[in-house]
Each structure stands twice: as structure tokens, then as C-alpha cells.
Amino acid sequence: MPGFTTRVIHALHDVEKGAVTPPIYPASTFLQPSEGGEGEFEYQRGSNPTRTDAETTLAAVEGSKHAFAFATGMAATGSVLGMLASGDEVIMGLPVYGGNYRWATIELPKRGVTTTFVPDLNQLTEDHFTDSVKMVFLETPTNPTLRVADIRRIADLAHAHGALVVVDNTFLTPYLQRPLELGADLTVQSATKYLGGHGDLLAGVVATNDGDLAATVAQSQVISGGVLSPIDSYRLLQNVKTLGLRLDRQQENTSRIVEALNNHPGVSRVLVPGSFSEDEARIQSEQASGPGAVFAFELADGKDVRKFLAELKVFGFAVSLGGIESLICLPASMTHGAYSAEDRELAQIPDGLLRVAVGIEEAEDLIEDLTRAIDAA
């Protein structure tokens, strides 16, 4: 079988007129056969040739039978959580991205759906499941604490109780971790992050190998209208072709930065996938081919985190991740600001925790920027 990047670059075989890239179809509507019936494309909300090309490419990325491109990552997540009905319960890992937390604490209660947060899904047991549990939703590694959960074990346990398993795979992407092959029923990703990779578009992806689930997601797309535009579909299908190259460089940079911070007296701790325990390190090594390019750290006692941030010259102080530029943020007040105080404590997200998303700049420049700012703090 061809390698990852080869498959992604050559996912589209029937490129019109010999062009090496597909055309963009901005049309909102399409002419239909006058003799009756429907053409292949009818209206952009239902389908569009450029979005279809993007979804074909995304399926190659996922190694899945079906992939759906949404206007945002939260639109993708909403289509999956929207499968739950009144009286259902979802088990959700904690922490999760703040947008997912909002869905669980604001939107799902309106629909009569209960969420049970479990801080460590590796401790999930039979006792967590009742007849009302219809879904387990998890991130691994978690945002922003980089905790690792055993996808295969969770999937086996959930399926024994008739529950679906959904994995938010935004941090590692299918280049490094393939949840569908580990038993997950669906994956969601914010394609705004690594798949898009350049900080210039919003997009989301849902992938599955199950035909019935695919039909449900497709119906949700049409009903909600949260579809990816033709222009952004084109940009995404082009940008994702360099995913492997970008992540290789980002991981290399991350490894060197983490080593430098682990040896810096101004840093109290560094969090990476597998750093929590030997068991999580084993799980991470078995189910993923790399740690990704996001990590978190805390400054040592006596250091001023705001002064540290003010001293940074290369790292941008902003939310988001996965782009070619390096960013840093304070999750407690930014990406996870929607958390209640109790849930933030349960999720172990202290005020001073810094989440770092490493880009493709020279590692020496990134290390110098961080160490100089730490020294100045």
C-alpha cells in the first residue's frame, strides 16, 4: 500500500482537462435533467463537486470509507453529539476542548441529554454504564493536559453496552493516530488546526466506516447547513497534502523544546502525551506513532506568567494550534474559560498552565524565545 502522503496527494484520480489540481465550483445551484430525476449535484448545501473532492481527500487522510467536511470543527462535533436524543446519556472525558464542554453543559441539557464527566477514562468500568448511555466521547491526548486514554479498551467496553465511541483526534490527526482502526465508531477533528495547517480557514471533519452512521451525518449536514464552502474545501484539500511534512517538522521542534524546558530551572513541570504515568506512556506508544506537537508547562514558583508572555517575540499569544506558526495560550482563561471552577479543578487545569502549539520555525529560535522569556519572568 502506498504511504500516507502519497495516498493523500493522489486521492483524486479524475482531474479534469489534465490539471494537476481540481477546479473550484462556486455554484450554489446546478441545472437538473429536464427529462426528470435528479442530477449528481443539485444545491450546494446538499453537495458540491469541490466539497466532494475535499471529502474524498479527507477519507484518504483518515483511511475511512466516509468523510464529511463541515464549516467548523464545532459544526462537525455538533453533528455527532446531535445524534443523541432525549433521555440519552453521554460519558465524556475531562478535560475536553472548551467548545465540546459547552455542547455538553449548554446544548445537550436543552435536548434532555445527560453528560457524565469522567476525569480518567482509563478507569472506566462496567459500573459507569446504564441502559441510557449511548455514547462515549473522548480526546486522547486531552486538551490541554495531554492525558492519554486507551481507545481500544474503551471501545470494547462501550460496544459491550451498545454505546458508540467518538474520538476527537484533532491533536494527533490520522497521520499519528487512527482511532477508527482501534475500534472507534466516529472521529471528529477541527480541520482548522493541523489539516488546514496555515491558520487561514475554519473547517471540521467527521469520519466513519459505518454506512448507517454516515447516512445520519450526511442528513445532519443538509439539515444544519453547516457545510464547508467550495473555496475553503479547495484550500483544505490542497493544504492537507503537506500534513505529514509539517507534522514531522513540528514534532522534531517539539522534542527539542521539551528537552530544553525539562532542563530549565525556571520550569516546574512539562506535560506531554505519556508523561502522566508509565501506563499512559505505554498506551501512547501502542496506539500512536508520535506525540504530536502540542505540550503544556508551568513556570516555577516566583515566576510571573504575564511577564513571561510579554517577553515573547516569536511565539504568538493566541488560541488555536496546528498551524505553521508557534502559539502559546493560557487555557484556564482562554480555550477552557467556559469551565465551571469545580470542573476546571477536576480537570486539573491551573491558572498558570501554558499550552504550547509548536510550528515549523527553526527550533533554535523557538528555544531561545522561550528561555529568554522564562529568564526575564
Side-chain angles (χ1 to χ4, degrees):
M1 174 183 283
F4 178 89
T5 300
T6 303
R7 293 199 309 273
V8 174
I9 289 175
H10 296 282
L12 300 174
H13 300 294
D14 300 321
V15 179
E16 293 186 1
K17 302 185 188 308
V20 296
T21 58
I24 303 173
Y25 293 87
S28 60
T29 192
F30 298 83
L31 299 176
Q32 299 301 296
S34 58
E35 65 271 16
E38 293 183 1
E40 181 179 1
F41 300 98
E42 182 182 15
Y43 187 69
Q44 188 185 127
R45 177 161 51 85
S47 61
N48 171 276
T50 311
R51 192 170 87 241
T52 297
D53 285 345
E55 291 173 339
T56 298
T57 302
L58 291 168
V61 171
E62 292 277 356
S64 64
K65 294 180 180 178
H66 312 278
F68 301 89
F70 286 81
T72 67
M74 287 314 304
T77 299
S79 74
V80 171
L81 292 176
M83 295 178 181
L84 297 167
S86 179
D88 289 347
E89 177 184 352
V90 56
I91 294 173
M92 186 172 286
L94 198 69
V96 290
Y97 169 58
N100 296 340
Y101 178 85
R102 289 189 188 96
W103 246 96
T105 58
I106 297 174
E107 187 63 28
L108 290 182
K110 297 176 185 177
R111 303 178 180 215
V113 176
T114 302
T115 301
T116 298
F117 288 111
V118 178
D120 184 358
L121 285 173
N122 290 323
Q123 302 301 316
L124 199 66
T125 68
E126 302 276 348
D127 293 339
H128 286 95
F129 288 87
T130 64
D131 291 342
S132 63
V133 174
K134 303 300 181 184
M135 181 182 292
V136 178
F137 187 103
L138 67 141
E139 299 171 1
T140 181
T142 58
N143 181 1
T145 56
L146 289 306
R147 293 290 302 274
V148 175
D150 188 334
I151 297 172
R152 191 179 298 279
R153 176 186 175 276
I154 293 166
D156 288 345
L157 187 58
H159 291 160
H161 292 273
L164 297 173
V165 174
V166 181
V167 177
D168 185 330
N169 200 34
T170 299
F171 268 28
L172 294 188
T173 83
Y175 182 62
L176 299 174
Q177 180 173 264
R178 303 174 81 80
L180 297 178
E181 295 176 6
L182 296 168
D185 299 288
L186 300 122
T187 63
V188 296
Q189 290 178 83
S190 172
T192 307
K193 312 306 192 293
Y194 288 104
L195 302 190
H198 293 78
D200 59 357
L201 64 85
L202 297 181
V205 183
V206 176
T208 185
N209 287 320
D210 185 291
D212 291 338
L213 292 176
T216 301
V217 175
Q219 183 182 63
S220 174
Q221 267 195 324
V222 174
I223 292 172
S224 70
V227 297
L228 194 61
S229 73
I231 299 297
D232 283 342
S233 292
Y234 174 80
R235 292 160 71 197
L236 179 58
L237 76 86
Q238 288 297 95
N239 290 359
V240 78
K241 294 176 182 178
T242 61
L243 172 63
L245 297 176
R246 289 184 278 107
L247 259 174
D248 284 346
R249 172 63 174 252
Q250 288 166 307
Q251 287 192 112
E252 179 184 344
N253 282 352
T254 302
S255 176
R256 294 180 61 182
I257 294 169
V258 167
E259 181 180 7
L261 294 187
N262 273 324
N263 294 314
H264 197 294
V267 174
S268 65
R269 64 169 180 158
V270 180
L271 305 177
V272 299
S275 63
F276 183 81
S277 68
E278 290 184 4
D279 190 45
E280 290 193 15
R282 174 190 58 79
I283 295 168
Q284 174 69 13
S285 68
E286 290 177 354
Q287 70 183 19
S289 59
V294 177
F295 70 93
F297 74 99
E298 287 184 273
L299 298 175
D301 289 343
K303 294 289 184 179
D304 186 326
V305 69
R306 291 292 175 179
K307 188 172 183 181
F308 161 78
L309 291 168
E311 291 291 329
L312 292 171
K313 306 300 181 186
V314 181
F315 280 85
F317 180 47
V319 298
S320 202
L321 56 101
I324 57 174
E325 65 288 317
S326 294
L327 300 175
I328 193 165
C329 74
L330 286 167
S333 59
M334 298 171 77
T335 57
H336 293 66
Y339 274 46
S340 67
E342 296 78 13
D343 283 342
R344 190 153 61 81
E345 182 177 357
L346 193 62
Q348 299 180 356
I349 306 175
D351 290 342
L353 184 70
L354 293 151
R355 190 190 73 183
V356 183
V358 180
I360 66 171
E361 306 95 335
E362 277 69 30
E364 295 82 0
D365 295 329
L366 297 172
I367 293 170
E368 191 280 332
D369 196 40
L370 289 172
T371 54
R372 179 184 45 76
I374 293 170
D375 292 340

